[in-house]
Amino acid sequence: MPSDTTSRDTLISIRNVEKHFGKVTALNGVSVDIREGEFFSLLGPSGCGKTTLLRMISGFEMPSAGDIHIGGEDMSEVPPNLRPTNMVFQSYAIFPHLTVAENVGYGLKKQRLAKAELAARVDEALALVDLDGYGTREPHALSGGQRQRVALARALIMKPKVLLLDEPLSALDKKLREAMQSELRHLQRTVGITFVLVTHDQEEALTMSDRIAVMFDGRISQLDTPEGIYKKPADQRVASFIGVMNFLPAQVTSASDRTLGIDVAALGKLSCPQDDRFAKGDKLKVGIRPEMLTIVYDGEKAEKNSVPAKVADIAYYGDMTYYDVVFGDGSHSASVSMRNTAGRPILPIGAMTRIRWGPESIVLLED
Amino acid sequence: MKSASPSLLTYAVIYLIFLYAPILLLPIFAFNDSAIIALPLSGFTFDWFYLLWETEALHQALYNSLTIAIITAVISTILGIFAARASARYDFPAKRGIVGFIMVPLVLPEIIVGVALLVVLVQLGLALSSWTVIIGHVLICTPFSIAILASAFRNLDISLEEASLDLGESQVGTFFRVILPLVTPGIISSLLIAFTISLDEFIIAFFLTGTDVTLPVYIWGQLRFPARLPSVMALGFLMVILSLMLLLTAEYFRRRANRLSGAADTDKGLF
Ligand SMILES: Nc1ncnc2c1ncn2[C@@H]1O[C@H](COP(=O)(O)OP(=O)(O)OP(=O)(O)O)[C@@H](O)[C@H]1O
Ligand SMILES: [Mg+2]
């Protein structure tokens, strides 16, 4: 579960940042405040500018416009080696000519510590990432997961205010990736450092982050908690990027101070809380998640928020079954997911059934 | 693997014989106890090597050659480092053209380089000396140094430099703690190759040397005296051994350089 960091102070303040590489616009006006001690994720498809934003926080790129403050200090004149940030590179960037311990202790050299103290600090950092006793190893004798831990230890030993991670898990296989996700989360709570994670894996962002900024085309489309992003996506792009979403066309039939009456093509009329994005007559899409639709089985009584539908396709996942259903006249369809609990039969293709939905789980999205 | 066709095999064998038979003759006659280079062999002797040891003029030529080769190796490697780093990391106008231009001496006939330099140096009123030979040798060795060093610098993962900066190290510190150790094998390889090329080079040295002849020029001078031929053979034999050792060492370091920087590249998974 995300920890509550809403009351924390702002650590990184990014204001109207733009970045142009020649004719390519990588960032197009990004403003965001990252709080102290939070696990913050930048999520978005390839090429949306996540890495560029991260590299600006670390100082490897300079904004074409706008400014970045870390801990209240303007960073525009501060080179990477003097910033209170450390980075875990996507390729890990382990120094191949140094041992694990020399890699981890690399950044402490400047502090001219006594030999014994340096060794103690390195051991401590290695223990933090579960690499006790690996100090004398050569980097090329490490697995991908171990290299990743070395990169983490090497950054954490610097006790940065911010740890920046650029797709740190993308080179690992699925099992290891999942294990590292929870380890990273745990590590972040232990050390209490602000983590800024770049990822294009929505599941990773949802499970690890306190807050997520979803980016498209060099802008932040939505900034919210994982739950907020999943339940109330701001637009159709965010909605379809995060998880699975059914989109059904609809139109506003009435708009009063309190409520919005809409007519959804496949589901019929319903009434929603007032929303000033929409006026009477507007066309829109309603979004509804597959798990918010339910199949009504024989014997259960048909309630009011339900419509007839036909099973068009089935995908069986063991614990879950995904149904593709077609509504009424056949011009609209949706995906429905059902948990396979005891005594619940799996419907065959072609079966006629009823689909029930909860009005509270519907999201209104601009067309 | 398919086996080679008989005609290709014959070709390869003949090619190798033409390439190496003359070199194999060097040790044979270097140890032959006769002043005449002809079969049958008449006995085993170290006399010709002993004669080399006794010849003062030879020592001077050897000394000249070694100084020229060392200075050439150092200068062309330093130039190579700058050029390789620039071509690997920075973009500047007409980069390809400039780099291509530097590499031209690699394919230019040495006699042209020699004659052209001679004309220019004479026009400038510079006296011929070991330094003029060094100028010529730097010209032909630098492309080799660049070629060797460019691959060392190109294979250097830029995120290693960034990681070093990120960990608080300065630009200068990064150069000494990360870049230099990783390209050192390339530098050694470049030094050795340039040294070997300069040591063996004849044509340019022949044109540009003044009274201080280099070893190859000295050997050429000795060929006029048939009686000295066996000792030239002995000298040639020693030079082949030396060059071979230098080249093998250079190759060892070149491979090491590739391995080091290759290991930095996790994407390729070369380990
Ligand atoms: N050094 C550069 N020179 C030119 N264009 C660049 C440079 N760096 C990034 N870009 C461009 O800027 C845009 C954003 O790149 P960026 O690397 O930030 O994307 P990303 O969100 O990290 O994508 P990915 O998930 O693929 O890593 C891309 O269109 C990219 O081609
Ligand atoms: Mg990226």
Side-chain angles (χ1 to χ4, degrees), chain A residues 107-362:
Chain A
L108 293 184
K109 178 100 174 224
K110 280 260 140 101
Q111 302 179 10
R112 302 188 183 287
L113 303 177
K115 225 178 185 167
E117 197 189 340
L118 178 68
R121 292 273 300 272
V122 168
D123 286 345
E124 191 188 334
L126 284 173
L128 198 61
V129 295
D130 268 337
L131 279 183
D132 309 78
Y134 277 73
T136 54
R137 292 265 194 117
E138 301 273 332
H140 61 82
L142 297 179
S143 71
Q146 290 167 337
R147 287 158 159 259
Q148 206 251 345
R149 286 161 202 258
V150 173
L152 261 174
R154 187 176 69 177
L156 286 173
I157 202 171
M158 304 302 292
K159 304 206 160 79
K161 282 189 183 149
V162 189
L163 186 72
L164 307 167
L165 304 108
D166 192 356
E167 312 220 8
L169 307 180
S170 63
L172 308 180
D173 62 52
K174 191 166 186 289
K175 264 236 167 74
L176 192 55
R177 192 161 66 229
E178 278 166 6
M180 281 308 292
Q181 280 173 8
S182 70
E183 256 183 67
L184 263 184
R185 190 72 189 95
H186 178 77
L187 193 63
Q188 194 265 338
R189 292 227 187 90
T190 316
V191 295
I193 293 172
T194 306
F195 277 32
V196 181
L197 172 86
V198 160
T199 178
H200 62 255
D201 180 342
Q202 43 110 2
E203 222 174 275
E204 193 169 294
L206 289 178
T207 53
M208 297 169 81
S209 323
D210 293 317
R211 289 194 305 155
I212 301 172
V214 185
M215 295 180 66
F216 285 100
D217 300 336
R219 288 175 202 272
I220 294 181
S221 292
Q222 189 172 6
L223 171 62
D224 207 338
T225 59
E227 198 183 356
I229 299 241
Y230 189 79
K231 284 193 173 158
K232 295 275 173 226
D235 58 40
Q236 289 192 36
R237 272 202 300 195
V238 175
S240 51
F241 190 71
I242 314 283
V244 182
M245 181 70 96
N246 295 304
F247 296 102
L248 295 167
Q251 190 166 22
V252 181
T253 53
S254 67
S256 74
D257 290 350
R258 294 267 180 77
T259 57
L260 208 58
I262 57 173
D263 185 7
V264 185
L267 306 179
K269 289 191 193 323
L270 50 104
S271 142
C272 300
Q274 206 273 338
D275 189 328
D276 36 308
R277 286 178 299 171
F278 306 104
K280 191 172 177 220
D282 282 356
K283 288 197 185 307
L284 69 147
K285 288 274 186 337
V286 302
I288 185 156
R289 300 278 182 198
E291 68 273 18
M292 295 300 175
L293 294 171
T294 324
I295 286 177
V296 184
Y297 283 89
D298 293 344
E300 295 179 310
K301 50 184 194 309
E303 297 164 44
K304 63 171 193 176
N305 289 320
S306 70
V307 286
K310 193 171 114 184
V311 177
D313 203 357
I314 307 173
Y316 178 72
Y317 280 81
D319 59 335
M320 305 278 288
T321 304
Y322 276 81
Y323 295 94
D324 271 345
V325 299
V326 186
F327 296 108
D329 65 352
S331 51
H332 301 287
S333 64
S335 168
V336 180
S337 68
M338 294 292 286
R339 194 150 281 286
N340 294 331
T341 50
R344 188 181 271 174
I346 292 167
L347 299 181
I349 292 179
M352 295 303 297
T353 180
R354 285 185 81 79
I355 302 297
R356 185 172 61 211
W357 76 93
E360 69 289 342
S361 55
I362 276 175

Side-chain angles (χ1 to χ4, degrees), chain A residues 21 24-26 44-53 61 90 167 200:
Chain A
F21 295 104
V24 180
T25 299
S46 186
C48 69
K50 309 176 296 280
T51 298
T52 306
L53 188 55
E61 291 312 339
Q90 183 163 10
E167 312 220 8
H200 62 255

Side-chain angles (χ1 to χ4, degrees), chain B residues 126-143:
Chain B
L126 281 175
L128 296 182
S129 68
S130 288
W131 287 105
T132 49
V133 180
I134 289 172
I135 293 173
H137 282 183
V138 165
L139 192 72
I140 57 162
C141 288
T142 304

Side-chain angles (χ1 to χ4, degrees), chain A residues 9-172:
Chain A
D9 292 338
T10 296
L11 180 60
I12 307 173
S13 160
I14 296 166
R15 285 283 155 269
N16 307 315
V17 162
E18 290 177 23
K19 180 70 186 182
H20 309 280
F21 295 104
K23 286 213 174 91
V24 180
T25 299
L27 291 176
N28 195 0
V30 169
S31 296
V32 58
D33 286 333
I34 298 172
R35 299 174 189 142
E36 215 162 317
E38 81 175 326
F39 198 123
F40 191 91
S41 291
L42 296 167
L43 172 66
S46 186
C48 69
K50 309 176 296 280
T51 298
T52 306
L53 188 55
L54 201 72
R55 288 173 61 80
M56 281 197 204
I57 299 174
S58 63
F60 292 120
E61 291 312 339
M62 282 311 196
S64 311
D67 50 37
I68 296 175
H69 288 73
I70 301 178
E73 201 187 328
D74 184 8
M75 288 288 125
S76 49
E77 301 291 322
V78 185
N81 51 339
L82 300 179
R83 292 195 182 194
T85 61
N86 281 108
M87 179 118 147
V88 174
F89 290 81
Q90 183 163 10
S91 60
Y92 309 148
I94 307 291
F95 304 121
H97 59 300
L98 302 178
T99 63
V100 167
E102 286 166 341
N103 262 285
V104 173
Y106 187 91
L108 293 184
K109 178 100 174 224
K110 280 260 140 101
Q111 302 179 10
R112 302 188 183 287
L113 303 177
K115 225 178 185 167
E117 197 189 340
L118 178 68
R121 292 273 300 272
V122 168
D123 286 345
E124 191 188 334
L126 284 173
L128 198 61
V129 295
D130 268 337
L131 279 183
D132 309 78
Y134 277 73
T136 54
R137 292 265 194 117
E138 301 273 332
H140 61 82
L142 297 179
S143 71
Q146 290 167 337
R147 287 158 159 259
Q148 206 251 345
R149 286 161 202 258
V150 173
L152 261 174
R154 187 176 69 177
L156 286 173
I157 202 171
M158 304 302 292
K159 304 206 160 79
K161 282 189 183 149
V162 189
L163 186 72
L164 307 167
L165 304 108
D166 192 356
E167 312 220 8
L169 307 180
S170 63
L172 308 180

Side-chain angles (χ1 to χ4, degrees), chain B residues 192-242:
Chain B
L192 293 176
I193 296 271
F195 180 86
T196 313
I197 293 173
S198 167
L199 196 66
D200 291 345
E201 202 284 329
F202 170 69
I203 299 175
I204 291 176
F206 180 70
F207 277 101
L208 299 182
T209 195
T211 47
D212 304 332
V213 296
T214 66
L215 205 53
V217 177
Y218 171 80
I219 291 174
W220 184 81
Q222 295 304 300
L223 292 179
R224 276 172 295 169
F225 312 107
R228 305 233 181 112
L229 214 48
S231 69
V232 169
M233 289 275 193
L235 183 56
F237 174 65
L238 291 179
M239 286 187 75
V240 167
I241 299 287
L242 179 66

